[in-house]
Amino acid sequence: MAQQRVLPQSKETLLQSYNKRLKDDVKSIMDNFTEIIKTAKIEDETQVSRATQGEQDNYEMHVRAANIVRAGESLMKLVSDLKQFLILNDFPSVNEAINQRNQQLRSLQEECDKKLIALRDEISIDLYELEEEYYSSRLLSEYSSGGASVSLERLAC
C-alpha cells in the first residue's frame, strides 16, 4: 500500500490474520514440496523391504500432495476474502467512483437540457410562424368574410 491509513482495531486484527494465513499456507506448500522431493530420493538398504518402502513413500507423497492442494485452495480462499475486504472497506475508492459517475450524469443532464431548450426555441419560432401564416392566410379571411363559395371553388380546381 502506497498510503498508510489508520485502521480500526478489528480491521487491523483481520489483516494480521490474513497475513498469518498467507505465511502458514505458503510454508505448508514449501514444507510438503520439500518432503516430496526428499521422499523421491532412493535410499540405500533400510530395514524394510523395497516394496514396502515404495508403498510407504507413495502414500506419503499422496498425503503431501493433498496437503499442497489444501494449502493452495486456502490461498485462493484468502484471495477471495481479501477482495471482499477491499470492496467492503475501501470507502475512498467507492466514493471517488460515485463522484465520477455523478459528474458524468450531471454533464449529460446539462447537455440534454441545452438541447431541449434549443429544441423548444426552434419549435416556438416555427409555431409562431405557422400561426402567423394560418391567421393571415387568404383562405381563412375569405371564409370568414362570406366568400366561402369562391374559395371552395378555388380548392376544387
Side-chain angles (χ1 to χ4, degrees):
M1 283 192 229
Q3 64 183 26
Q4 286 290 341
R5 286 183 266 171
V6 177
L7 297 174
Q9 188 63 27
S10 62
K11 290 181 183 177
E12 189 66 36
T13 306
L14 186 61
L15 289 175
Q16 287 174 353
S17 75
Y18 288 159
N19 198 14
K20 183 181 181 324
R21 281 174 50 191
L22 174 68
K23 288 179 181 177
D24 291 345
D25 289 339
V26 170
K27 184 178 182 321
S28 174
I29 290 173
M30 290 294 294
D31 291 345
N32 283 299
F33 189 74
T34 303
E35 290 301 318
I36 287 176
I37 299 299
K38 285 181 186 176
T39 306
K41 292 181 182 176
I42 298 176
E43 296 182 15
D44 293 331
E45 289 298 316
T46 59
Q47 292 182 350
V48 292
S49 69
R50 282 204 183 270
T52 306
Q53 185 65 40
E55 283 299 314
Q56 182 180 351
D57 290 347
N58 185 27
Y59 178 72
E60 183 180 348
M61 284 184 188
H62 281 356
V63 169
R64 292 199 179 276
N67 287 341
I68 290 173
V69 169
R70 182 209 49 81
E73 288 173 349
S74 178
L75 285 173
M76 289 183 359
K77 173 73 171 119
L78 177 64
V79 168
S80 174
D81 291 346
L82 284 170
K83 286 179 181 178
Q84 183 178 6
F85 176 82
L86 184 63
I87 289 170
L88 296 177
N89 295 306
D90 192 15
F91 295 118
S93 295
V94 171
N95 288 339
E96 183 179 333
I98 289 171
N99 288 336
Q100 273 185 336
R101 185 65 178 155
N102 279 341
Q103 187 64 29
Q104 288 174 343
L105 292 175
R106 284 207 170 110
S107 65
L108 180 64
Q109 178 186 7
E110 289 174 7
E111 184 180 325
C112 287
D113 287 346
K114 287 177 185 176
K115 287 181 180 179
L116 284 173
I117 289 171
L119 185 61
R120 181 197 66 188
D121 292 344
E122 285 181 32
I123 289 174
S124 176
I125 291 169
D126 290 344
L127 182 61
Y128 179 78
E129 290 174 358
L130 286 172
E131 285 177 346
E132 192 174 276
E133 182 68 28
Y134 176 75
Y135 289 120
S136 66
S137 71
R138 186 168 195 169
L139 178 65
L140 182 65
S141 63
E142 288 178 4
Y143 183 74
S144 61
S145 66
S149 60
V150 175
S151 61
L152 289 177
E153 289 174 5
R154 277 192 206 161
L155 291 176
C157 295

